[in-house]
Amino acid sequence: MFQSFEDTANPSQGPDRLAALRALMKTEGLAGFLVPRADAHQGEYVADRDARLAWLTGFTGSAGFCAVLPNIAGVFIDGRYRTQVKRQIDLAHFTPVPWPETQLKHWLADHLPGGGTVGYDPWLHTPDEISTLETALAPKGITLAPHANLVDMIWPDQPEPPRGRITPYPADLAGETHEAKRARLAQALKEAGQSAAVITLADSIAWLLNIRGSDIPRNPVPHAFAILHDNAHLTLFADAAKVDDSLRAHLGTQVTIRPPAALAPALHSLTGTVRVDPKTAPILIVQELDEAGVSHAWGEDPCILPKACKTPAEIAATTEAHLRDAAAMVEFLTWFDAQPPGTITEIDVVTTLEGCRRATNALLDVSFDTIAGTGPNGAVMHYRVTEDSNTRLDEGQLIVVDSGGQYIDGTTDITRTLPVGAPGDEERRCFTRVLQGMIAISRTRFPKGLAGRDLDALARYPLWLAGLDFNHGTGHGVGVYLCVHEGPQRLSRVSDVPLKPGMILSNEPGYYREGAFGIRIENLIVVHEAAALDGADDREMFDFRTLTYVPIDRRLILPAMMAAGEIDWLNRYHAACRDKISPRVSDAARLWLAQATEPL
């Protein structure tokens, strides 16, 4: 199994660890210390060594941070984790703080009225983060100071850094050689008057060099840093244990490999103007450049946008991966529908689904820990079942199954909400509204230049009509055998990145009723140029092509609530599921698929 069911959150250890941290803060003369979820690469998933937030607080969500002061320790969490955090931390010692509704700068000002110095690890915070805080807090007499990480100093058995092997990624799947990518990006640096760019995001380095790594579970990226020069030469800073002769041969003579400890001296030796991404780089990078008197210019990581706009080869590869994954999902759903209510548990769901994916003989990892939440657990948006929380699927409940696979040719992410026995009328009403929002995104056409914030409301409108909503974005970017959450594009009210052809996104509206049930429906979609329409304006239009082909449970739909166009879309989608997936599944699954895709 890729996924385990151990409960890694232990609230009982939090108070003693918090006390040790506060004692060290006092010794160091600090009024506070910041403990982010992030690592030096700003990755969503972190290695065990970097799981400082979880170690201190017990909270294991993929986003958040803790601000520790002498008399309060705030755990800042967004809408996805409001329910989960209350289960995982000691509420007598840690205080959940709704974020971003409550900004850290205001919270610190309120709780440090006498001022003071707040320490932070400069490897774990970006220039934008620190600049925003410093500007807001200076008038309050609160200063920020870079400091050795206090959590590391009190963590006696902190794991060693990961040293997973780095491997080449086939150019025929990438659609472009790393030599061509480096030359293209180096030319852009030259045109901007910049001599080099510091690249710190692990997936950017993996994309640029056509390599993959194994330093963290779920996301096949290496922990490394890189400096790309305007002559297309690149210096890769990676542990020697990760590198072998095949990788050296793949990278060639224009990529120099050096140990991570050589990064700071290399920064000091740079000349000209160096690009640094203020949103993703550790602020330590800028501090080192400033110390050496090296000029820097703020600019986006040069890999981010090119990486997001997939090549035709990447789209073709991930299309095949999604069809393979859909066949595994259909085999799983065939099994699921044969299980009487009350006979299986959430862990049974996870293990069986992973088994179906493994049976493809192509699964390299799951793309994230499967979310399989039944009843009230379904309302925990990022629920992770453990041996302690494992719940039986009983008559009348819903189960949210959000899962995905990592294949050499693609990364998948799909959510289906399923009934256990006969669903209730309220659940069906809510499900139908979520489905209407998902269909609205799937059907939309939009002019070039629009961003995710311009489309997000389409997915929410059917819910808003009933006074309902959901506390997460409608969709996130997705990589191709890279990270399941990939920027910069999103379907979200806060995303201003224009959508471009080749960008892959999730389309996943939901609804969550705490203590009762959860609903989410998710397909992956890719932006492409829309077909011309008779009588249309002479303007460039985009739409979405669906990548995910797995039936949506018809037992949860109230057809009377749906418009004719919505029903037509669903029937055409189900016909496509049947046509594309039937040749790929067993006889039993083919029979199930035929029944599951009957027209409404």
Side-chain angles (χ1 to χ4, degrees):
M1 288 293 296
F2 287 115
Q3 184 165 336
S4 69
F5 305 102
E6 177 186 3
D7 191 351
T8 56
N10 191 344
S12 66
Q13 296 178 326
D16 288 344
R17 292 170 177 176
L18 180 61
L21 180 59
R22 283 176 167 152
L24 189 54
M25 284 166 44
K26 185 174 182 179
T27 299
E28 298 293 319
L30 297 175
F33 193 75
L34 303 181
V35 184
R37 157 76 175 184
D39 61 15
H41 310 278
Q42 294 297 312
E44 177 184 8
Y45 288 82
V46 297
D48 290 344
R49 176 182 180 80
D50 298 312
R52 299 175 181 89
L53 180 64
W55 182 84
L56 177 66
T57 68
F59 172 63
T60 62
S62 63
F65 58 92
C66 183
V68 179
L69 305 182
N71 297 313
I72 188 171
V75 180
F76 289 70
I77 35 82
D78 64 33
R80 296 170 294 172
Y81 296 111
R82 304 281 160 82
T83 302
Q84 177 178 331
V85 71
K86 291 182 286 188
R87 298 182 177 189
Q88 292 191 318
I89 67 174
D90 185 323
L91 294 172
H93 293 83
F94 294 95
T95 302
V97 181
W99 174 83
E101 296 90 333
T102 301
Q103 291 289 308
L104 176 60
K105 57 189 177 184
H106 300 138
W107 188 88
L108 287 173
D110 290 342
H111 290 91
L112 288 175
T117 299
V118 176
Y120 68 91
D121 182 341
W123 277 111
L124 307 182
H125 297 269
T126 68
D128 271 5
E129 285 181 78
I130 299 304
S131 174
T132 298
L133 286 173
E134 287 178 333
T135 300
L137 295 175
K140 309 291 185 180
I142 301 171
T143 59
L144 295 177
H147 200 283
N149 198 297
L150 299 188
V151 174
D152 294 355
M153 296 166 69
I154 63 170
W155 190 347
D157 55 352
Q158 185 178 24
E160 291 295 313
R163 294 182 175 87
R165 192 163 69 93
I166 302 174
T167 56
Y169 188 71
D172 61 329
L173 295 179
E176 187 178 16
T177 66
H178 71 84
E179 291 89 350
K181 290 178 180 180
R182 287 188 287 106
R184 178 159 58 103
L185 270 54
Q187 181 60 32
L189 289 177
K190 193 175 297 185
E191 291 171 359
Q194 296 164 355
S195 61
V198 181
I199 304 172
T200 61
L201 294 177
D203 64 331
S204 288
I205 294 170
W207 172 85
L208 177 59
L209 294 178
N210 285 349
I211 58 176
R212 297 297 186 264
S214 53
D215 282 325
I216 54 175
R218 315 304 177 237
N219 293 332
V221 296
H223 278 180
F225 298 97
I227 298 175
L228 175 65
H229 300 270
D230 63 359
N231 63 358
H233 186 278
L234 183 140
T235 306
L236 178 67
F237 300 89
D239 193 303
K242 302 178 181 183
V243 178
D244 61 14
D245 289 343
S246 67
L247 180 69
R248 292 187 181 91
H250 165 75
L251 294 177
T253 59
Q254 289 301 300
V255 176
T256 301
I257 303 173
R258 304 185 67 188
L263 175 61
L267 293 172
H268 284 234
S269 70
L270 294 175
T271 58
T273 300
V274 178
R275 181 190 294 196
V276 179
D277 189 336
K279 296 180 180 179
T280 65
I283 193 172
L284 184 71
I285 300 294
V286 180
Q287 293 170 350
E288 293 286 354
L289 292 172
D290 288 346
E291 181 180 310
V294 177
S295 173
H296 70 269
W298 299 129
E300 187 174 69
D301 175 329
C303 302
I304 285 181
L305 192 57
K307 169 167 55 70
C309 298
K310 310 307 179 192
T311 64
E314 287 176 308
I315 294 172
T318 201
T319 296
E320 173 59 27
H322 278 79
L323 294 175
R324 181 189 311 120
D325 194 74
M329 280 292 302
V330 167
E331 297 285 359
F332 160 74
L333 292 171
T334 302
W335 168 86
F336 180 87
D337 271 2
Q339 312 308 308
T343 63
I344 61 173
T345 68
E346 293 166 336
I347 288 180
D348 294 327
V349 169
V350 175
T351 56
T352 302
L353 177 52
E354 183 173 315
C356 291
R357 286 194 166 102
R358 281 180 175 272
T360 66
N361 295 317
L363 184 69
L364 299 176
D365 198 348
V366 292
S367 54
F368 54 95
D369 283 350
T370 297
I371 299 166
T374 188
N377 292 340
V380 181
M381 296 174 202
H382 280 207
Y383 172 73
R384 175 183 174 272
V385 60
T386 68
E387 295 286 358
D388 293 334
S389 71
N390 189 28
T391 302
R392 188 180 63 225
L393 278 60
D394 288 330
E395 173 70 38
Q397 292 182 333
L398 303 182
I399 181 168
V400 176
V401 183
D402 187 351
S403 68
Q406 290 282 15
Y407 305 93
I408 190 69
D409 49 359
T411 301
T412 69
D413 184 1
I414 173 175
T415 308
R416 290 295 181 262
T417 301
L418 310 172
V420 183
D425 290 343
E426 178 65 7
E427 287 86 345
R428 294 180 74 197
R429 279 191 291 269
C430 294
F431 182 92
T432 303
R433 292 188 182 278
V434 172
L435 175 59
Q436 289 174 304
M438 183 264 202
I439 292 173
I441 294 292
S442 301
R443 295 175 65 195
T444 191
R445 293 170 59 98
F446 56 95
K448 177 182 178 180
L450 265 59
R453 67 183 179 191
D454 302 310
L455 304 182
D456 178 79
L458 296 175
R460 300 176 188 272
Y461 178 66
L463 289 162
W464 288 349
L465 289 176
L468 311 176
D469 203 355
F470 53 94
N471 292 330
H472 58 73
T474 296
H476 55 83
V478 181
V480 174
Y481 192 45
L482 277 173
C483 299
V484 74
H485 290 166
E486 178 184 275
Q489 74 277 16
R490 297 166 62 189
L491 290 175
S492 165
R493 63 188 68 176
V494 300
S495 179
D496 59 359
V497 177
L499 299 176
K500 296 178 180 294
M503 288 181 168
I504 299 174
L505 298 126
S506 66
N507 171 15
E508 52 178 309
Y511 177 66
Y512 311 89
R513 187 164 293 178
E514 187 170 354
F517 61 85
I519 296 166
R520 185 160 63 251
I521 309 170
E522 177 185 19
N523 281 352
L524 296 194
I525 52 180
V526 59
V527 182
H528 72 145
E529 294 182 4
L533 296 176
D534 291 339
D537 291 346
D538 183 19
R539 69 180 71 226
E540 194 168 357
M541 301 284 287
F542 299 150
D543 60 10
F544 296 119
R545 179 170 72 84
T546 297
L547 293 171
T548 309
Y549 285 97
V550 176
I552 295 163
D553 205 296
R554 294 158 58 254
R555 294 166 294 187
L556 284 166
I557 300 171
L558 291 174
M561 291 178 58
M562 297 177 68
E566 294 169 337
I567 292 175
D568 180 62
W569 182 92
L570 185 66
N571 286 339
R572 285 186 289 106
Y573 173 72
H574 277 164
C577 291
R578 184 171 58 251
D579 293 345
K580 292 175 183 291
I581 307 305
S582 287
R584 297 171 175 262
V585 296
S586 65
D587 290 343
R590 193 174 301 114
L591 177 61
W592 178 92
L593 183 58
Q595 295 170 340
T597 57
E598 290 180 355
L600 281 185

